[in-house]
Amino acid sequence: DQQVKQNSPSLSVQEGRISILNCDYTNSMFDYFLWYKKYPAEGPTFLISISSIKDKNEDGRFTVFLNKSAKHLSLHIVPSQPGDSAVYFCAAFGGAGNMLTFGGGTRLMVKP
Amino acid sequence: ETGVTQTPRHLVMGMTNKKSLKCEQHLGHNAMYWYKQSAKKPLELMFVYNFKEQTENNSVPSRFSPECPNSSHLFLHLHTLQPEDSALYLCASSPEGTEANYGYTFGSGTRLTVV
């Protein structure tokens, strides 16, 4: 059973607009959440994270929002740029074994 | 370059072959991981090593055999694989105790094709 789910396998956005990537989780023991970005033929790279004691974390064009009651988090990218085109993985930390658990990823395509 | 180096980048092997994947990090991390990424599936954790000791084996078939001779090196030995084992194999490392603030640092992966 997937504890971290990204229900949208792909998302297409126009350059300059906002990209919103969503992630849902089921394990209430998760206490830290991360977003990774992955280009083809490369490993995932860390993008931004948020602790469960916060509901928002911002870093430049990237903002992550956490809604604990809904067990939902989202990554906002604004303004979106063509170089943002990649696969974005949501990951959650905590629970049994204290391991990172990944979602299935969302492929973002930013059109010029 | 992330600081985690994986070799080879690409590997094609027959089902009767024996090969090894190598991962190396010089970030001072003490935990190392093998992940498998198949098409249209989430990243799957395979093995975890903390201070050279295996602490997690996520029900991985015995045709995959990990080895961690020291905290900087991690191997994945492969033998009698199946075509469905074709995937991207990612190595990652993290500081001791998996300090969540820093997340995991991933290598670029080995793209494995079993024919």
Side-chain angles (χ1 to χ4, degrees):
Chain A
D1 182 37
Q2 274 187 259
Q3 299 186 63
V4 179
K5 291 184 180 179
Q6 294 175 254
N7 291 317
S8 298
S10 64
L11 174 68
S12 183
V13 172
Q14 203 67 35
E15 180 179 6
R17 306 294 290 268
I18 185 171
S19 296
I20 300 176
L21 297 100
N22 294 302
C23 177
D24 297 292
Y25 63 96
T26 57
N27 190 337
S28 57
M29 297 297 291
F30 289 144
D31 57 7
Y32 207 89
F33 304 89
L34 306 93
W35 284 94
Y36 283 82
K37 177 180 180 180
K38 184 183 182 303
Y39 291 116
E42 294 183 15
T45 54
F46 171 73
L47 190 60
I48 193 170
S49 63
I50 188 167
S51 165
S52 60
I53 63 173
K54 295 185 176 181
D55 55 19
K56 177 183 174 182
N57 187 26
E58 190 173 350
D59 183 4
R61 297 185 297 114
F62 302 91
T63 303
V64 56
F65 295 92
L66 175 63
N67 183 333
K68 281 188 66 179
S69 60
K71 293 191 177 66
H72 176 84
L73 64 156
S74 60
L75 174 67
H76 292 212
I77 307 173
V78 56
S80 301
Q81 299 173 354
D84 296 328
S85 298
V87 177
Y88 289 79
F89 290 96
C90 169
F93 203 86
N98 215 27
M99 303 291 175
L100 264 185
T101 303
F102 285 87
T106 296
R107 181 177 301 279
L108 173 66
M109 292 163 284
V110 180
K111 298 179 180 178
Chain B
E1 195 62 52
T2 64
V4 178
T5 304
Q6 288 187 246
T7 54
R9 292 295 302 271
H10 301 273
L11 178 63
V12 179
M13 61 185 288
M15 288 189 283
T16 58
N17 291 159
K18 289 184 180 181
K19 296 286 184 182
S20 296
L21 310 185
K22 180 181 177 182
C23 177
E24 185 173 354
Q25 60 91 8
H26 296 288
L27 300 170
H29 292 172
N30 291 306
M32 296 187 78
Y33 312 82
W34 280 116
Y35 280 87
K36 175 183 178 182
Q37 188 188 8
S38 305
K40 301 181 181 179
K41 292 176 80 173
L43 276 168
E44 301 173 59
L45 179 65
M46 299 176 72
F47 301 103
V48 181
Y49 279 82
N50 275 296
F51 292 99
K52 304 186 297 179
E53 298 297 321
Q54 187 181 126
T55 57
E56 184 85 10
N57 176 339
N58 206 20
S59 303
V60 180
S62 59
R63 56 186 184 270
F64 295 91
S65 175
E67 178 190 2
C68 188
N70 54 62
S71 294
S72 299
H73 294 86
L74 184 65
F75 295 90
L76 187 62
H77 303 300
L78 316 171
H79 65 97
T80 59
L81 295 192
Q82 304 298 313
E84 59 264 29
D85 296 322
S86 299
L88 179 69
Y89 289 84
L90 289 160
C91 173
S93 69
S94 68
E96 189 272 325
T98 55
E99 180 65 46
N101 284 332
Y102 305 101
Y104 293 4
T105 302
F106 284 86
S108 297
T110 294
R111 173 70 64 185
L112 173 68
T113 303
V114 181
V115 297

